[in-house]
Amino acid sequence: MIQFPFSISSSQLVAKTLKSGGVICFPTETVYGLGGNALSKKVVEEVFAIKRRPADKSLSVLVNLEWIPKLTYWEDNKVDRIMNAFWPGPLTLVLHAQPELPGYLKSPNGTVAIRWSSSV
């Protein structure tokens, strides 16, 4: 078990676990999350299995500022105002997924749920 907040050595262990396709549990502002490399279908399937989550109920993707435009797009500047007001923080946004995003990360209607947590 790795204690939170992470030290330099535990951060290295977390990074190694994620790079090797592992799944970790981590705190957020509201609940503990399960996560791993969201671009790995194997990791996403493992998170679904651990959570016993139905395949038609997509997962949220934890992001940072760099990843938001890589995963999503929007045409309404209200989204920008919401992001600026509440992120990082306990808010999940459901936005249009970039077309090249793998299908296992999208909902059936082509959206993806993203969250930028201040806890990680």
Side-chain angles (χ1 to χ4, degrees):
M1 179 184 219
I2 300 170
Q3 297 295 317
F4 187 82
F6 300 138
S7 65
I8 291 173
S9 62
S10 63
S11 292
Q12 292 168 344
L13 180 57
V14 168
K16 182 179 177 183
T17 300
L18 294 173
K19 286 178 184 176
S20 68
V23 174
I24 62 169
C25 180
F26 55 90
T28 71
E29 299 87 354
T30 55
V31 297
Y32 279 84
L34 290 176
N37 179 357
L39 298 177
S40 166
K41 186 175 183 180
K42 179 184 171 212
V43 170
V44 172
E45 287 172 346
E46 187 172 348
V47 172
F48 269 100
I50 292 169
K51 294 181 83 168
R52 296 185 179 138
R53 190 175 181 98
D56 64 340
K57 194 171 180 188
S58 56
L59 297 169
S60 295
V61 179
L62 197 63
V63 298
N64 61 23
L65 196 55
E66 174 187 353
W67 278 93
I68 297 167
K70 293 178 182 181
L71 302 177
T72 65
Y73 69 93
W74 60 94
E75 298 169 359
D76 188 341
N77 65 2
K78 290 179 191 174
V79 174
D80 295 304
R81 290 196 306 267
I82 291 168
M83 288 178 180
N84 290 331
F86 296 103
W87 273 357
L91 173 70
T92 300
L93 292 175
V94 178
L95 299 170
H96 297 288
Q98 288 289 354
E100 64 275 5
L101 197 64
Y104 59 85
L105 285 179
K106 300 178 194 179
S107 73
N109 65 358
T111 60
V112 63
I114 60 170
R115 180 171 176 176
W116 182 13
S117 174
S118 61
S119 298
V120 292

